[in-house]
Amino acid sequence: MSSIEVIGGEQLIGELKIQGSKNAALPVIAATILNKGISKLKNCPKICDVFHMIQILEELGCETSWEADTLIVNSSMAYITQVPEDAVRKMRSSILYLGAILGRFHEVTIAYPGGCSIGKRPINYHLDAIKKMNVSLEFLKQDESIIHCYTNRIIGNDIFLERPSVGATQNIILTAVLAEGVTRIYNAAREPEVIEVCDYLIEAGARIYGKGTAFLEIVGVESLHDVDFWLSSDRIVAGTYMAAIAATGGRAVFTKAPIKHLDSTIRILREVGCRIEVAEDRIKISNKQRPLPIQVLKTQPYPGFPTDMQSQLMSILCLADGESTIIEDIFESRYQNVDDLRKMGADITVEDDMMKAKIFGVSKLHGARVKAHDLRGGAALVIAGLAAEGLTIIDEADSIERGYEDICGDLSLLGARIRYCSEKVRELYCAQ
Ligand code: EPZ
């Protein structure tokens, strides 16, 4: 397990290019199964989750290769319809192979993805939807941990989603593009990463209408064709680095930034006192003062404030000049950072069954040994470490590499004193 060490107190200053989007790449990589041919995915991030999805593609019989940051997939030879069990257990997003493999082969066997530290994360919406599209399901193990879905014809239908689930919307689209007839999704997710899957499939010849709205219509087509596709930059990585500027009082320019996907994040960072200018794909951000508190912030589906930015914002608000309240309304256990931030001197109370956090701003944080409980929580502890006095060690930093190509390298470019931690430093720290 790797650790990251941060020596805080530096103002971050400089320019940085934002990487390709994890949450756009993962569903599009799954979708490459459907065109039975070549997909060239440009601006594809080199992160653990992407490598994981590629490994599954190869186990399904696909050929993959890289040309710089372009991932090339040839799915013409794919023939396996069973996703390796351990693959799904390791990474939830492999569940997106359910719709892609089913859509192409009318059959798929896949493990029920376990929850993760941020919540139970059931897939009932995914399964209920495909059942409405003439697909039969059976559980292959006593504990219902392996799902076998099969049909001789996928037939489009009207699907009403109880909540605008990103994953369920994507899996329904993947199941529907080669189906017979029309599939309509009501209360669909509107996230940019859903639009991205639609754009990729439309460029491959799919007929999808209403992308970015709560009502999607997919008219099934016979087949799809080869496609070159440019993946968007990562709005959460951009938001994370902007939050680092807000917390450390620096100034920076972020290039290749997905401006149009960052409305709510920019709005909130302006509220905490940042000065933000945007032009084309460049964001100029600075913060010359102690962060201002936020009365109440609730995480919401897009275009609301993203739950994937909640932990990073909490790190900023720990240093705000006053009291703030965050309501986490998407995942039931996404306050794993609270105890670690308290170790750094933060003053936070959590109420209402882990839904509401009250943050009483303190004038300074101090370094400590903390642990990354999940991807975004880990990145948020890096931000807290950058703003704190002294040395912070973040253990189990592997979870951060799942979504950030090189968080240490990137932040060092902005003058941060940060690096992956050697065993020696870890021992030294323990000895203290
Ligand atoms: C996607 O997860 C993202 N992951 C998550 O980002 C993100 O936090 C989430 O959307 C919300 O924006 C990827 O894109 C790979 P959901 P997903 O289905 O699709 C409940 C990160 O850090 N639900 O929209 O799994 C669910 O439990 C990750 O990059 C059901 O109850 O999220 C949750 O409470 C973390 N039944 C809510 O809906 C279902 O069948 C939203 O989940 C499906 C979902």
Side-chain angles (χ1 to χ4, degrees), residues 22-125:
K22 167 180 91 78
N23 290 347
L26 303 183
V28 169
I29 290 172
T32 61
I33 288 274
L34 288 162
N35 76 344
K36 306 176 189 167
I38 308 288
S39 297
K40 292 187 178 169
L41 308 181
K42 297 184 180 110
N43 195 31
C44 188
K46 294 188 173 170
I47 51 177
C48 296
D49 279 12
V50 163
F51 300 142
H52 208 85
M53 289 297 268
I54 294 171
Q55 200 190 330
I56 298 173
L57 275 182
E58 289 170 353
E59 299 198 18
L60 298 173
C62 299
E63 285 164 13
T64 71
S65 59
W66 287 93
E67 275 175 15
D69 65 357
T70 298
L71 172 64
I72 302 165
V73 178
N74 179 350
S75 65
S76 54
M77 310 304 282
Y79 64 100
I80 294 174
T81 61
Q82 173 144 11
V83 179
E85 197 178 330
D86 62 340
V88 182
R89 304 237 182 280
K90 274 197 210 132
M91 184 181 70
R92 265 197 66 78
S93 312
S94 352
I95 194 64
L96 293 163
Y97 280 112
L98 176 128
I101 298 173
L102 187 61
R104 174 169 171 178
F105 297 104
H106 292 186
E107 180 180 12
V108 61
T109 302
I110 192 163
Y112 200 103
C116 73
S117 62
I118 62 176
K120 295 194 203 63
R121 306 183 77 176
I123 56 166
N124 50 322
Y125 303 156

Side-chain angles (χ1 to χ4, degrees), residues 398-416:
D398 306 63
S399 55
I400 302 174
E401 293 160 25
R402 289 189 38 226
Y404 297 81
E405 273 184 332
D406 182 7
I407 196 164
C408 292
D410 284 350
L411 292 168
S412 305
L413 284 176
L414 299 180

Side-chain angles (χ1 to χ4, degrees), residues 254 257-263 266 277-283:
F254 296 112
I259 307 278
K260 62 181 189 307
H261 302 159
L262 284 163
D263 287 357
I266 289 174
E277 293 160 43
V278 298
E280 285 167 27
D281 64 355
R282 292 170 69 83
I283 295 180

